[in-house]
Every structure is written in C-alpha cells, then in structure tokens.
Amino acid sequence: MDKRFNKILVLAPHTDDGEFGCGGTINKFVEEGREVYYAAFSSCRQSVPKQFPEDILITEVKAATKVLGIPPENLMIFDYDVRTFNYKRQEILDDMLGLKKLINPDLVFIPSLSDVHQDHATIANEGLRAFKWNSIFCYELPWNTSQFNTQCFISLSESNVDTKLEAIAEYASQGHRPYSSSEFIKGLAKVRGVQSGNNYAEAFEIIRLSI
Ligand SMILES: [Zn+2]
C-alpha cells in the first residue's frame, strides 16, 4: 500500500460498520505503523436489544477498535439518532469538516455510494462533500448493496482476518445479525483474496485517488 497514506480516517455511520467494512485493513494499517482514526456517528441507543444497556454499543466500539489496534484517543463517537441522519445532513457535514481540520487524513474510508441504508447513504454523500480533495475508498457491506465495484483489493494476512473476527465478536449486542457470522466474514475475505491473487483481502470502490 502506498507509503504516502499515513493518516487514515474511517467514517462509520454506526459503531461496527467500520469493523465490518474494513476491519482487516485497519489492523493491517496499524501493523504497518500508519495512524488510523475511527469516527462513528451513532451508537444506536434506540435500536439496542432490550436485554442490553442503552449505551452498550459505546462499550463495544471501544473494545472492538482496541482489538484492531486503534489508540483510544483516535476513536470519536458522535451521538446522532439512528435512521435520522438525513434530517441532520448539515450538522453531520459540519462535524466531518471539523474532523478534516483536526486530522487532515490522506485517505478516507466511507460506505458505498450505492448503500441503501439511509444513514449509510448520508455518511457516504456528506463524506464526499467534506473530503472533496482527499483520496476516498468505499468499503463493502454486501447486505446493503446490490452491486459493488471491486476496483481495489487490499491483501490481508490470516491474522488480520482473525483480528477482524475478534473485533466483531466484541459486539455481543449485534451477534444475532446474519452478517456477524464468522463463516460469512472469513468466507468473503477468502472470495476477495481469490479474486485478487491473495490468500485473503478486502475489496473497495475507489471514488478518488489523489497521489
Ligand atoms: Zn450501519
């Protein structure tokens, strides 16, 4: 991976999207000594299963990003209500412009522009606006997209994939989701690996590559 990408910012609509979309790549970048920042825009208090405390996703994202190797001071959590991001578009854009000023990232990860979840679509579109001069890659969440252009593959070691699984396992409150299955996550990493001549990989859409 290009050595010029030293500061990487992951924009996650909800806590856990970044881990699902690019957890292996985050772990690889941390191992390579790059600075990785993670911003989540909602801890989804309104949709936490009843048996868990309302703020469980804050506890879980702290644990999961720690597993991936992100320093605690590089984790930022905003508190927008789940499924209402489109009503707060301007505030979200302002928060992103604040992140841009604070971090000045070389590479930004966002959800796919074809992601159908309304919050994901807002983060993708505002991300494009806020970081209009930066390199931008979209991560893959196959349960939310009917098509995804695999324009970029980032190879992963088995250890990167296993660390991604460990990070996702920290989300006990989300364990019921079909896409939390380790068989699915490792299987997709294998598919992307086979497609790109690697053992394992994650795939990305390239929106802009600025070198
Ligand atoms: Zn999400």
Side-chain angles (χ1 to χ4, degrees):
M1 191 69 185
D2 195 290
K3 291 278 179 275
R4 279 164 287 203
F5 292 134
N6 284 318
K7 276 191 194 180
I8 292 111
L9 171 62
V10 177
L11 299 180
H14 314 111
T15 51
D16 80 8
D17 289 317
E19 291 88 329
F20 280 115
C22 55
T25 297
I26 291 173
N27 183 241
K28 174 177 175 152
F29 281 176
V30 169
E31 279 181 356
E32 290 173 346
R34 302 172 201 265
E35 276 178 61
V36 182
Y37 296 82
Y38 187 114
F41 288 79
S42 177
S43 59
C44 305
R45 292 171 190 277
Q46 300 79 6
S47 60
V48 165
K50 297 235 178 302
Q51 67 272 32
F52 293 98
E54 203 185 69
D55 61 353
I56 184 73
L57 278 155
I58 294 178
T59 310
E60 291 173 343
V61 72
K62 285 180 181 169
T65 50
K66 190 175 171 194
V67 168
L68 294 178
I70 297 175
E73 62 273 20
N74 290 10
L75 169 66
M76 286 141 290
I77 309 169
F78 296 95
D79 196 23
Y80 291 96
D81 291 345
V82 66
R83 292 186 293 274
T84 66
F85 287 17
N86 47 329
Y87 301 109
K88 303 281 174 146
R89 188 198 66 73
Q90 187 60 42
E91 288 98 315
I92 288 171
L93 176 59
D94 289 341
D95 282 335
M96 286 184 186
L97 291 170
L99 291 173
K100 182 180 180 174
K101 207 169 163 189
L102 184 75
I103 299 165
N104 190 25
D106 309 306
L107 174 61
V108 182
F109 286 102
I110 63 173
S112 172
L113 291 168
S114 51
D115 192 308
V116 293
H117 190 296
Q118 61 272 50
D119 293 343
H120 292 209
T122 303
I123 295 301
N125 283 298
E126 298 314 316
L128 206 55
R129 264 185 202 106
F131 297 93
K132 69 178 182 182
W133 309 124
N134 303 75
S135 291
I136 300 182
F137 291 5
C138 300
Y139 51 77
E140 183 178 26
L141 302 173
W143 52 96
N144 276 348
T145 51
S146 55
Q147 43 187 329
F148 187 85
N149 285 320
T150 53
Q151 295 155 326
C152 168
F153 294 93
I154 297 182
S155 67
L156 302 175
S157 65
E158 185 156 24
S159 154
N160 297 142
V161 179
D162 288 340
T163 306
K164 174 176 181 171
L165 292 175
E166 275 173 50
I168 288 169
E170 293 291 344
Y171 287 97
S173 69
Q174 306 300 309
H176 60 288
R177 312 261 187 205
Y179 49 77
S180 287
S181 138
S182 53
E183 190 185 10
F184 166 70
I185 294 163
K186 201 155 185 174
L188 180 62
K190 192 66 182 172
V191 170
R192 297 317 186 198
V194 168
Q195 275 183 301
S196 57
N198 294 296
N199 196 9
Y200 294 98
E202 282 170 338
F204 299 89
E205 291 177 327
I206 297 182
I207 298 298
R208 188 183 308 102
L209 187 56
S210 182
I211 293 176

